[in-house]
Amino acid sequence: EWDALIRHLRRIGWTDKELIDTGLAVAGRDKGVYDRFRSRLMFPIFDLQNRVIAFGGRIIGDGEPKYLNSPETGIFSKSRTLFGLNFAHKAIQQADTVVVMEGYTDVLAAHQAGCANAVATLGTALTSDHVQALARYAKTIVLAFDADSAGIRAALRAGPLFEESDVNVRILELPGGHDPDTYLRAEGAQAFQHRVDTSRSLADFQLDQIQAHHDLATDEGRSAYVREAIAVLASIRNPMRREPYIRRLAEEWSVDNLSSVSYREEEIRRALRNYGKRVSVSTDKGRAGTPGTSSRDSTALEPAGTSDTIGGKKTPSGAAVNERILLRALLIRPDWLDDLELKIDHFAEPANRALAELVIGREGDPLQNMAGWPEEIARLATDLNMSEDPLSLEVARQALVYLQTCARQKRLAELKAELASGSIDRNDPRWIEWSVLQRESRLSDRTRVQDSEP
């Protein structure tokens, strides 16, 4: 029924507003109210005090979406809540390990099988709040995600989160076609625990992912692999943790001449120092007040489009920085594309535009489709994917507004020059275009002033 729960709760004293505020009801277009959850198997979501704060519902039979969660409310935040943590935290402390899964049924199957240190995210990637919460109970986080899932792709970007919280993150790999639920049913708890115990470090997993895109039998392939792998090693801030990976990379680079391993190690260390300097230069540029960015929002790269130099090195222009922010959004959050309405024309810098052309309008995960891309573009995509800078939909929107403003100002300048030359009269379509752009510019300026007022 569409209102069975609402009618019951109204009878015992709850108001429609309260039902909407808690996410149990939805306001319709006709000012009516109806139940959010219908014909679904319900999973209660608890806080650490064992209080139900939200629900997840799986459709019974056909229908979309397959899973429906409560919306964000005053007591429920997806980015801060982990399914099952209230039941799992004692087992997590005892094992000093938490296994993070993607689904309710995965967690239920794990607990029923005796793997009681399992929790799940709620349709979101791991956030800093999730990691901080888990770090209070364990030093090791094992991600038991589908190998081709958005969760794994998010984990590849989340290395800095784990570094900041001083936890070890590992990747649990399951045979093709299995998730934790089906694997536990097919192979049992002992086999699953063995997979947990033998899970690989995030850095090893990342390096293997990069290596798969290069031919290590050739000098060119090894060099390209090392260049991309530097970003992975740079994300490991603890020098002691980084050393084994420097050794691994040097040995893979020197496969045809193992006597050069020590020399290669020094080259890798030098490349890491240079990488850190590039990050520093880009961050300093952000602090200097590049329009549309902040020190938190700027990318840690050296785009080809530049506006000035610092210490003899080129630094990104405001447009280039904001283009890179939008490219990161395209690569790691393709679900934002409809909201942002990004177009290839938004990208002017050649490398950025080339990457946008390979991503916009294409099906599937861009980062899984890099085979065959030009080396420069693949390296750009990898650098953006590995960037430590925070990214949100609001940051992406601000970057888009900045680029739209730049494009509008450029076109206004062109039209103004034509007006001054007397080549445009009031009947010319360019006059109308100039008038519209002027009006948009004034409106944008007023909005910006209003947004800046306390």
Side-chain angles (χ1 to χ4, degrees), residues 285-302:
K285 180 66 176 177
R287 291 195 186 103
T290 300
T293 67
S294 68
S295 60
R296 288 172 56 85
D297 300 335
S298 61
T299 58
L301 299 167
E302 283 189 72

Side-chain angles (χ1 to χ4, degrees), residues 116 253 300:
W253 194 3

Side-chain angles (χ1 to χ4, degrees), residues 45-53 85-87 89:
I45 298 168
F46 297 85
D47 66 10
L48 281 172
Q49 288 74 47
N50 294 314
R51 299 173 297 191
V52 177
I53 57 172
L85 184 57
N86 59 309
F87 298 116
H89 63 87

